[in-house]
Amino acid sequence: MSTVSISHEHWMRRCLELAQSAEGLTYPNPMVGSVIVHQGKIIGEGYHRQAGGPHAEVHAINAVKNQDLLREATLYVNLEPCAHFGKTPPCSLLISQKKIPRVVVGCVDSFSEVAGKGIAHLRSTGTEVISGVLEKESRELNRRFFTFHEKKRPYILLKWAQTTDGFIDIDREAQKGGRPTWITNAHARRAVHLWRSREQAILVGSETALKDNPSLTVRDWHGPHPLRLVLDRGGRLPDYLDLFDGTCPTLLYTQKEQRDNKQAERILFAGAEPLSALLKDLHQRDIQSLIVEGGARLLQAFIDAGLWDEARVFTGKTWFQKGVRAPQLQVFPAQQQDFGNSTLYYFRNI
């Protein structure tokens, strides 16, 4: 590997580090970081902090004290500079106006308004463009963004906890309801709330809503609450549940026409494929990521339909011997992590 390619990868890794600083805060925009290098030193860097605000390239260019150095510098960015007028002017136009001679890009932006147009504009103005540097890592960072635009649905993350003997819950019907039995610990619960703060929406089914009465908010972490979703085909959920407490928005997907719940937006759908209807509605709402924290039946429905991208499964060191069987994945875990009395397994649907 040449010295030049190693150098490019080094600066691109810094772009990725900067971009990840805003994880969960840029929706519906991607996470983007940018550094400007002159004679082997960073003279400016920045990242996109929130939708509607300046893009990473703008922050990086504005951070350069001596703007004359831009004419001899290289700009690195993990995603192709935009070429369209949105809430901000196109970054590719700014780069060419500043006469930056070289731009190194992590990956092409598949969003239809960009889709190679930013790179094409830069090259048409005489800018040297090198693309595909740490392309895999760049796409991985923005996997939610790419899934949304390429598959026309949110990135779907499944999450559950199960016992060593493969149960997700005890038989609470035999025990006349009852509260859920904890399989993991407080450390794992904080991790789950961190995940919630980074995703746009969270979904449960009516069975989980009735049995557990979850709030689906971020309580043990700091950050935005996800949009709460509940699938209630038969319209059987009462108004007093925490999902309908009005603390944050809730969408209720149902096939039952009945009076509106004032604390939730009701979405009626017809047909026997509620998951497709739900995902189509979320795409129309620009929701790029979804955590499914429902019961075994809802989770298995997503798995059987192939509608999942990632699964995070806690396996606790407990035994139920009987109860509700955990969902079944037909893939091996990609990695694992210890969480005290449980192990977290990561799965990917590739």
Side-chain angles (χ1 to χ4, degrees), residues 244-264:
F244 308 130
D245 61 8
T247 57
C248 52
T250 300
L251 303 183
L252 175 63
Y253 293 87
T254 183
Q255 292 177 319
K256 186 78 170 180
E257 290 193 32
Q258 57 189 40
R259 67 180 180 82
D260 285 339
N261 184 308
K262 293 182 180 180
Q263 303 296 342

Side-chain angles (χ1 to χ4, degrees), residues 41-96:
K41 294 181 180 180
I42 294 178
I43 59 173
E45 64 179 25
Y47 63 93
H48 183 48
R49 299 172 184 175
Q50 62 183 16
H55 289 186
E57 301 94 321
V58 176
H59 281 300
I61 289 171
N62 289 343
V64 177
K65 293 181 179 180
N66 184 355
Q67 294 278 301
D68 291 337
L69 296 180
L70 291 172
R71 296 171 178 262
E72 304 172 353
T74 299
L75 183 146
Y76 291 83
V77 62
N78 59 286
L79 187 68
E80 175 186 5
C82 63
H84 64 290
F85 283 88
K87 292 183 179 180
T88 60
C91 292
S92 57
L93 178 60
L94 175 64
I95 292 169
S96 60

Side-chain angles (χ1 to χ4, degrees), residues 118-226:
I119 290 176
H121 169 79
L122 289 171
R123 285 176 172 160
S124 71
T125 61
T127 304
E128 178 188 358
V129 180
I130 301 170
S131 62
V133 175
L134 295 187
E135 182 176 14
K136 181 180 179 181
E137 293 85 345
S138 296
R139 285 187 59 86
E140 171 68 13
L141 177 70
N142 281 306
R143 59 192 182 277
R144 297 160 182 81
F145 177 82
F146 287 116
T147 296
F148 178 82
H149 288 290
E150 294 170 6
K151 296 186 177 181
K152 308 304 179 185
R153 64 162 175 81
Y155 183 89
I156 300 170
L157 192 163
L158 310 180
K159 171 263 166 185
W160 72 86
Q162 65 184 47
T163 61
T164 300
D165 54 347
F167 292 97
I168 198 172
D169 198 1
I170 60 174
D171 185 359
R172 281 189 271 161
E173 290 185 4
Q175 297 188 14
K176 298 181 180 179
R179 298 298 297 167
T181 302
W182 280 104
I183 295 173
T184 57
N185 54 26
H187 182 37
R189 185 168 63 248
R190 283 194 297 272
V192 171
H193 286 212
L194 165 62
W195 300 342
R196 289 179 180 178
S197 73
R198 291 177 173 174
E199 311 302 337
Q200 279 191 285
I202 184 168
L203 170 69
V204 294
S206 58
E207 198 71 23
T208 298
L210 279 173
K211 287 185 175 181
D212 296 353
N213 191 23
S215 64
L216 303 184
T217 55
V218 177
R219 302 181 305 280
D220 294 334
W221 199 260
H222 60 277
H225 298 303

